[in-house]
Amino acid sequence: MNILVTGGAGYIGSHTCIALMEAGHSVIIADNLCNSKRENIEKIMDVAGKEVTFYEINVTDVEAVDAIFKNYKIDGVVHFAGLKAVGESIEKPLKYYYNNIVSTMVLTKACKKYGVNRFVFSSSATVYGNNKVPFVETMDLLPATNPYGETKVMSEQILTDIANVNPTLSVSILRYFNPAGAHESGLIGEAPNGIPNNLMPYVTQVAKGKLEKLRVFGNDYPTIDGTGIRDYIHVVDLAEGHVAALENLTEGVHIYNLGTGKGTSVLELVRAFEEANGIEVPYEIVDRRPGDIASCYADASKAKRELGWTAKRDIIAMCWDSWRFEKNYKE
Ligand code: NAD
Ligand code: UFG
């Protein structure tokens, strides 16, 4: 299939482009590089050993998107392009609503115009809010605590409403848990701008000596050691989940958790990193981060049952691969 991957130069998108090409598909990337680098496109081609077609466009731009659909026979869209910084979304809500919602509308409209019936969307476990763990796809969603989360809830609703009146359209909504790790080549991985918000890139930058110590946000949660529990999933497993979702799409809307089903606390992750890589990660306990919940992990059984997909790589592999990428990475 010819797959249009929006946001394909980014962290999860780049790994998914490789997995798609390994599965025999052709990839067209549309990315405006607002949170990624052009060199990622070269790296994707190096790792996959295949060419990709790259369009440097903003996917909220109707004409630029239309031109791609006109030029290529697109068989499916995987829509990663989005802004994802929770804190920034509170300060700049309009930027987030516009980018994340309009992009979904522009792309679905182009799909309708050109008869493209496969659409895979990047959602997030954030849509569950502070539900009881493990999170199951059938749960009622709780109001998001920030505009970023709202854009995921709204995009899910928009896609569901469109699919309901377009019976030939097949939509897969993938709710990711916490992506970590990097490609085993060490060439692509997560390279956040500025100081990382997320735990794993923060840990690798402390290990590299770029940051002095990790600040652990709270040790008084009702968890095994008081620190927050998350379901870390290797980004290559996540990428393979997209291939499975795309290849097993049937008409209608399907929602899948992409997680491992296993929770890991902040301190467990720090210890796993130290053990895997033989490097000490200094840390201090500080106050809770506003908006954080105690525990977030998936019931991952639906994806296994319906897509035949499960995560294969464990937290140690995530620590190895994240560290290999960080060691190699030059700004
Ligand atoms: P990323 O920032 O590395 O990748 C997103 C890519 O989209 C970037 O290359 C960026 O340049 C591009 N982009 C953004 N807006 C665009 C636009 N309007 N037009 C064209 N390109 C645009 O992020 P990621 O971690 O790879 O996340 C991919 C998707 O998964 C996002 O939608 C994100 O919200 C979602 N998600 C991420 C996580 C996570 O923890 N990383 C968790 C849940 C969901
Ligand atoms: N944490 C620290 N110190 C840090 C960073 C994080 O202690 O410097 C802790 C957090 O308090 C939390 C855990 O590490 O307990 C994970 O935090 P992340 O910031 O890595 O991830 P979150 O679960 O907060 O959020 C991530 C994405 C969101 C997405 C959500 C659910 O950043 O975009 O997963 O998928 F919505």
Side-chain angles (χ1 to χ4, degrees), residues 4 35 50 65 227 289 312:
L4 174 63
N35 197 37
K50 284 188 186 165
V65 167
T227 66
R289 183 171 63 179
K312 299 189 207 92

Side-chain angles (χ1 to χ4, degrees), residues 6-29:
T6 76
Y11 175 44
I12 308 170
S14 58
H15 290 82
T16 303
C17 288
I18 292 168
L20 284 166
M21 288 189 276
E22 283 172 354
H25 304 291
S26 296
V27 164
I28 297 144
I29 295 177

Side-chain angles (χ1 to χ4, degrees), residues 213-253:
K213 59 185 156 185
L214 172 69
R215 292 177 311 137
V216 175
F217 297 138
N219 67 348
D220 57 353
Y221 286 107
T223 62
I224 174 176
D225 56 19
T227 66
I229 291 203
R230 297 292 182 273
D231 184 342
Y232 298 95
I233 173 166
H234 197 295
V235 67
V236 175
D237 280 323
L238 199 53
E240 289 169 3
H242 289 73
V243 179
L246 201 56
E247 292 181 346
N248 290 287
L249 255 185
T250 53
E251 283 169 12
V253 181

